[in-house]
Amino acid sequence: MQSLQFPQYTFRFKNSENNVSIFDEIRKKFVILQPEEWVRQHCVQYLIQELNIPKSLINVEKELVINGLKKRYDIIVFYPNGTIFLIVECKAPKITINQTTFDQIAQYNMALNATYLMITNGLNHYYCEMDFKEKKYTFLEALPKLSY
């Protein structure tokens, strides 16, 4: 798999039926290794190892319903009180992050109300802080640490 703009992490892999799978520590199972999954697993490790977010506060690949349509978010990080600290949208490295990507995560956030947003294709990372009062977001250089 392609090198990404994350620190180096160690992963568990499994080969079966001509598919390579990677172990997801959050879902506690092997999932087929696709380019977007490679980015997602790096991002999960980044949250755990670099930002010191407990695994118990991270949720991966869950369904939500927006305007009657079923969608799936990539990663959510909760505050200990259960509100949402961060939504992460992961794309494959070959996918260019553009306005459509921001529109997608903004649509998810209308239902989820996260304080922070992160969009990554593994090569480029964008971070935003929401201002719900002004209905806008501000770009940040990095994500803040999760405060308890």
Side-chain angles (χ1 to χ4, degrees):
M1 278 282 161
Q2 181 174 355
S3 263
L4 303 176
Q5 292 299 316
F6 282 105
Q8 290 291 115
Y9 299 116
T10 303
F11 297 101
R12 288 174 44 204
F13 297 97
K14 179 173 80 171
N15 226 332
S16 65
E17 299 175 22
N18 295 326
N19 285 320
V20 175
S21 296
I22 187 168
F23 189 75
D24 182 320
E25 285 188 46
I26 305 303
R27 292 179 275 185
K28 295 181 174 37
K29 66 179 186 177
F30 281 94
V31 291
I32 293 179
L33 183 57
Q34 301 286 345
E36 183 178 314
E37 192 63 46
W38 184 237
V39 172
R40 185 169 23 254
Q41 292 307 315
H42 275 80
C43 194
V44 165
Q45 290 306 311
Y46 174 77
L47 296 170
I48 294 167
Q49 296 187 38
E50 313 309 321
L51 297 183
N52 299 313
I53 295 173
K55 293 178 197 176
S56 62
L57 297 179
I58 301 172
N59 214 313
V60 174
E61 281 265 293
K62 296 280 187 195
E63 189 174 275
L64 71 152
V65 178
I66 299 173
N67 298 327
L69 299 173
K70 292 181 179 182
K71 305 284 185 180
R72 290 184 83 76
Y73 60 75
D74 286 310
I75 303 169
I76 282 186
V77 176
F78 293 95
Y79 285 107
N81 70 6
T83 60
I84 299 175
F85 171 70
L86 171 71
I87 301 173
V88 182
E89 180 61 31
C90 300
K91 298 294 184 191
K94 70 176 184 178
I95 303 295
T96 302
I97 295 173
N98 56 25
Q99 187 62 50
T100 304
T101 316
F102 281 96
D103 292 347
Q104 179 183 2
I105 199 169
Q107 183 181 37
Y108 291 177
N109 204 33
M110 288 193 306
L112 298 170
N113 295 315
T115 307
Y116 297 95
L117 309 177
M118 176 181 176
I119 301 172
T120 181
N121 62 4
L123 305 174
N124 299 294
H125 316 298
Y126 298 93
Y127 314 101
C128 304
E129 180 175 14
M130 296 303 302
D131 181 341
F132 293 104
K133 191 175 180 181
E134 298 294 322
K135 296 184 179 175
K136 66 178 187 173
Y137 50 83
T138 305
F139 283 94
L140 305 171
E141 290 294 315
L143 286 173
K145 295 274 185 182
L146 175 63
S147 57
Y148 294 85

